[in-house]
Amino acid sequence: MNRSLRKGTTSIFFQHLNTGNDIRVKLVESELKDNLAILRFTLAPASDDQKHDESYLHDTQLELVSINDNKIIDGFREYMKYSSIKITKYKLELLSRSKKLEFFVSPKLAKQGDQRTLHLTIIDH
């Protein structure tokens, strides 16, 4: 079952080994399948620089994704909390340039004052 977490756009941070980039995303969704929680972003680069940064996702190993959007964080947490499914694995799916990039991730919620960040560390190198 799919659940839309955001229909507007937001910016997500993508960390590679030697560089990091913010790229605009749209249509953020979550899905639960068996014991797997999926967080899915459709990338929508806002500029030529972001389009160039998007190419790193296809050419360079991704290390970490960070999300600061409280609507996405709260929606994803609520969706998992009220599900009858016991979640044991997490996957990030990126829809980019007509391709689906998939990564198994380990989520961690960090708080600094009122700011919350959901970090998704890539675990399937």
Side-chain angles (χ1 to χ4, degrees):
M1 181 157 118
N2 263 354
R3 179 175 180 191
S4 177
L5 301 178
R6 174 172 282 291
K7 291 186 180 172
T9 61
T10 191
S11 187
I12 304 295
F13 184 76
F14 297 90
Q15 179 67 51
H16 301 275
L17 186 60
N18 295 315
T19 189
N21 307 295
D22 284 305
I23 301 175
R24 186 177 72 172
V25 300
K26 63 179 182 177
L27 190 63
V28 178
E29 300 174 300
S30 62
E31 183 177 357
L32 299 177
K33 288 184 179 178
D34 300 321
N35 63 338
L36 177 66
I38 301 168
L39 189 56
R40 184 178 301 115
F41 300 129
T42 300
L43 274 66
S47 65
D48 286 339
D49 285 342
Q50 285 192 1
K51 287 178 184 177
H52 177 72
D53 296 340
E54 182 183 19
S55 68
Y56 281 99
L57 294 171
H58 297 267
D59 302 331
T60 307
Q61 183 173 302
L62 185 62
E63 300 285 327
L64 175 78
V65 174
S66 298
I67 304 154
N68 291 323
D69 187 309
N70 285 329
K71 185 172 182 170
I72 294 171
I73 293 170
D74 292 341
F76 190 55
R77 292 178 71 202
E78 290 294 313
Y79 187 45
M80 292 184 308
K81 180 179 177 181
Y82 292 110
S83 168
S84 61
I85 299 170
K86 181 177 175 163
I87 306 301
T88 59
K89 292 192 260 182
Y90 298 86
K91 185 192 278 187
L92 173 65
E93 293 182 353
L94 304 174
L95 305 177
S96 168
R97 298 181 178 176
S98 301
K99 293 182 180 177
K100 180 167 54 171
L101 307 172
E102 299 178 290
F103 307 92
F104 283 98
V105 295
S106 174
K108 181 179 179 187
L109 185 63
K111 294 180 183 180
Q112 186 173 13
D114 291 340
Q115 180 66 42
R116 295 181 301 156
T117 303
L118 178 60
H119 297 287
L120 304 172
T121 302
I122 308 302
I123 58 174
D124 65 345
H125 291 278

